[in-house]
Amino acid sequence: MTNRIAYTKPSITDREVAYATDAAANGWGERCYDYLKKFETAFAAHLGTGHAIATSSCTGALHMGLAALGIGQGDEIILADTNWIASVAPVRHLGATPVFVDIDPVSWCLDPDKVEAAITDRTKAILAVHLYGNLCDVGRLQQIAAERDLYLIEDAAEAIGSQYQGRRAGSIGTFGTFSFHGTKTLTTGEGGMFVTSDTGLFEKVLTLSNHGRSRSQTKQFWPDELGFKYKMSNIQAAIGLAQVERIDDLIARKREIFSKYRERLETYQGLQLNPEPPGTVNGAWMPTVVFDRDLGVTRDMLLAEFKKTSIDARVFFYPLSSLPMFTPAKQNAVAWDVPERAVNLPSYHDMSDADIDRVADVVRSFLR
Ligand SMILES: *Cc1c(COP(=O)(O)O)cnc(C)c1O
């Protein structure tokens, strides 16, 4: 019986275990924020951003960031139709209107021309999600946001290790968000981070994250406004600190696995892999294959074959507008087409070359 290949798996070493153990044994009372502070500082330093606030999830970080910008009823937020629901749920929770636009067929991220065409008087922000580690066209989106006086927000949950002209994904827009869910490049089990270099915005989110209690408020149990409770625990942060101390290795290994897939697949015709345009680095969170339409490969065929060979394949995100809580936007032709003939490939730190060969063999079996 061959081993089952999972699509992701965290890399947990003695360091994570030691820090978590220390936090569990000693991280209480006056020390209850020690690992949190260290993790936030180390993560901000890695990213090159001014401020970082650890949260219980990326969804929570996004919710607070949008709320701090005053986004609500009547406001429109532009994002790609191809996305995980976590990116759009906070928009709806705040009463704002998500506007789904089509993706670029190469990056699978926001198509800047479609973004421009979707802007109205009500548009407040462009939510750029760097899908699977692929970067959005940050330069053009920044230009559009500046010209039309919009916020550019980065959901960089999938883009740890990705860089645009030397700047790390998540550190470029008005604010950025990250997820440390168990499937992500850096994990704390569940968890997230809000990052910004805007000190005013940081203070607002810090207050919101503490049930609306400003850190300058001296009265006990006195919220000045209605806030949120999306905090990370010190024990999770202990694991996070160990992970961020290993971040270069975690990213390098993701990139190495992707390049091994690329070596094994790129000489074949009929498929497309994650791009890495000049001036960018792809953090390679999730190696992905899109098969040419004329090969006739379907999602069901892919899932069946991977299942047969004990490999956990992951479907490419369905268009958000195809989900029951939204209105179908079939004019987003690329977003509706690509997932029908695409699959995410397994990638995790301790994956062996033999595992990579096994996965690549399955992909190749569809090519000839
Ligand atoms: C994983 C992910 C999220 C959700 O993160 P949580 O920590 O589960 O809230 C949000 N956005 C993107 C792009 C993701 O990949």
Side-chain angles (χ1 to χ4, degrees):
M1 185 62 196
T2 46
N3 66 308
R4 163 156 226 99
I5 302 177
Y7 71 82
T8 58
K9 235 188 246 184
S11 166
I12 301 298
T13 65
D14 290 346
R15 186 189 296 244
E16 284 81 358
V17 174
Y19 289 5
T21 304
D22 177 50
N26 307 307
W28 310 103
E30 289 187 342
R31 297 189 52 193
C32 73
Y33 298 124
D34 282 8
Y35 278 107
L36 275 166
K37 284 183 193 140
K38 283 185 191 162
F39 179 36
E40 288 170 343
T41 303
F43 193 81
H46 162 74
L47 219 62
T49 192
H51 310 282
I53 301 172
T55 58
S56 53
S57 69
C58 177
T59 312
L62 205 47
H63 197 174
M64 290 195 293
L66 293 169
L69 294 178
I71 285 162
Q73 197 86 40
D75 296 335
E76 291 176 358
I77 309 298
I78 297 174
L79 74 161
D81 204 348
T82 299
N83 263 312
W84 175 227
I85 195 159
S87 301
V88 72
V91 174
R92 279 285 278 264
H93 288 319
L94 287 166
T97 306
V99 176
F100 301 124
V101 302
D102 208 359
I103 54 170
D104 174 89
V106 175
S107 70
W108 315 320
C109 295
L110 277 174
D111 177 337
D113 290 333
K114 302 282 163 56
V115 170
E116 251 182 328
I119 295 172
T120 71
D121 291 346
R122 294 169 165 236
T123 309
K124 284 284 153 50
I126 302 166
L127 177 52
V129 183
H130 305 297
L131 203 82
Y132 303 141
N134 303 356
L135 282 167
C136 295
D137 186 344
V138 174
R140 277 219 43 215
L141 294 177
Q142 273 183 309
Q143 195 187 349
I144 295 167
E147 278 170 16
R148 308 297 292 265
D149 198 20
L150 306 173
Y151 297 116
L152 177 63
I153 297 162
E154 291 178 273
D155 180 348
E158 302 177 8
I160 283 184
S162 298
Q163 296 181 36
Y164 178 82
Q165 292 178 358
R167 299 177 71 189
R168 291 197 180 273
S171 72
I172 303 163
T174 307
F175 72 78
T177 59
F178 289 88
S179 171
F180 308 131
H181 179 257
T183 55
K184 301 291 157 75
T185 299
L186 185 163
T187 189
T188 60
E190 293 281 359
M193 194 75 86
F194 169 90
V195 302
T196 186
S197 289
D198 177 334
T199 301
L201 183 62
F202 163 71
E203 289 293 343
K204 269 190 200 161
V205 173
L206 198 62
T207 299
L208 285 177
S209 77
N210 195 20
H211 271 316
R213 292 180 289 179
S214 158
R215 59 173 166 174
S216 59
Q217 178 57 260
T218 51
K219 253 161 98 175
Q220 270 188 322
F221 288 106
W222 191 263
D224 295 285
E225 60 183 307
L226 202 58
F228 296 93
K229 186 64 193 295
Y230 286 138
K231 287 187 171 217
M232 177 181 278
S233 80
N234 196 54
I235 298 174
Q236 288 171 297
I239 297 172
L241 178 64
Q243 292 260 292
V244 80
E245 287 174 356
R246 298 177 51 225
I247 191 79
D248 291 339
D249 172 49
L250 293 175
I251 294 166
R253 186 63 189 134
K254 278 287 194 182
R255 287 180 48 75
E256 186 178 38
I257 291 165
F258 176 60
S259 84
K260 283 172 188 273
Y261 278 127
R262 198 156 53 187
E263 279 165 21
R264 285 158 175 75
L265 298 171
E266 73 184 350
T267 53
Y268 290 79
Q269 300 282 309
L271 88 177
Q272 189 194 342
L273 299 166
N274 310 58
E276 191 171 53
T280 71
V281 175
N282 193 318
W285 174 58
M286 197 139 278
T288 300
V289 183
V290 178
F291 293 86
D292 285 0
R293 196 182 297 103
D294 55 18
L295 286 173
V297 176
T298 66
R299 174 169 46 220
D300 290 344
M301 287 163 63
L302 290 163
L303 289 180
E305 191 57 29
F306 277 95
K307 192 168 179 203
K308 213 168 77 188
T309 50
S310 290
I311 298 168
D312 293 346
R314 227 180 83 129
V315 300
F316 197 102
F317 291 127
Y318 294 96
L320 290 174
S321 75
S322 73
L323 302 178
M325 63 299 280
F326 298 111
T327 309
K330 291 201 177 168
Q331 70 276 16
N332 295 332
V334 184
W336 281 68
D337 169 44
V338 168
E340 305 286 335
R341 49 190 174 87
V343 70
N344 300 137
L345 306 180
S347 169
Y348 55 89
H349 192 270
D350 298 330
M351 205 175 173
S352 70
D353 280 5
D355 291 340
I356 295 171
D357 281 331
R358 244 174 81 196
V359 177
D361 282 346
V362 175
V363 173
R364 283 191 291 238
S365 72
F366 286 97
L367 296 168
R368 190 68 10 221

